[in-house]
Every structure is written in C-alpha cells, then in structure tokens.
Amino acid sequence: MTVKEIARIKECRLAAQGKMEETITGVFCCDLLSIAMSKAPSGCAWVTVMANKNTIAVASLTDTACVILAEGVHLNESDKKCAIDEGITVFETDLPIFDTALAIYRLRAEQ
C-alpha cells in the first residue's frame, strides 16, 4: 500500500502533501520523539499526537513514509511548510491513536 491510499480512510484528511507514492511497510505508534527516533521502522505510517516540526524532523531522519496526527491534533502553517519542504506527507484525523492504526492495518490487509 502507498501513502496516497490512506486518503481512502474517510476520517483522515491530508494536511501536508509530500511523497505520496511511498510504500507503507507497517504502522508505528509513539508520542516520544526520542523513542521514535530510535525505533520507527523505515517506511512506516507513524501515528502520533505530536504536531510540531520536531516530529517532521524525526520522520525525515527515520525515513517514515508518512505521519498521521490523531486525536484531533493539527499542524500549524509553519510546520505544514516544513513537512512539505521535507517531502513528508501528513494526515490529520479525529480518531484515537489505536483506531487510526487499526484503520491503516485493515486497509493494508485488504490488499
């Protein structure tokens, strides 16, 4: 599955468009940037509530396929620009973290 297919999850909204053709290798849920920096697998869809440019930096360093901000969290305009500049796709959703990860997992299982 590719990043652009996350848009098929009706509760997910595109907040910043980066590389949409990246392959998603799995789902990773974490809100501690230091742990995400050392444990986020390359190509993952990272679900978090940390909406700032440090999250974008960690996503870039770990080669994360995309970031999904859960629980109604939003990027500000400056951080959206940072994500776009780094080529990191960011989605936003009001779903809880677990439900977001489950929706991505189910979408991947369909394929």
Side-chain angles (χ1 to χ4, degrees), residues 49-105:
V49 296
M50 298 297 296
N52 58 51
K53 65 178 155 185
N54 293 330
T55 301
I56 303 306
V58 171
S60 181
L61 285 171
T62 59
D63 200 27
T64 295
C66 64
V67 174
I68 302 96
L69 298 174
E71 310 276 353
V73 174
H74 302 283
L75 281 179
N76 66 36
E77 290 305 314
S78 171
D79 295 339
K80 283 182 187 181
K81 182 180 179 336
C82 181
I84 292 166
D85 291 347
E86 289 293 325
I88 304 294
T89 299
V90 179
F91 292 93
E92 297 173 345
T93 183
D94 292 328
L95 292 173
I97 290 173
F98 176 82
D99 293 340
T100 304
L102 185 59
I104 296 165
Y105 177 83

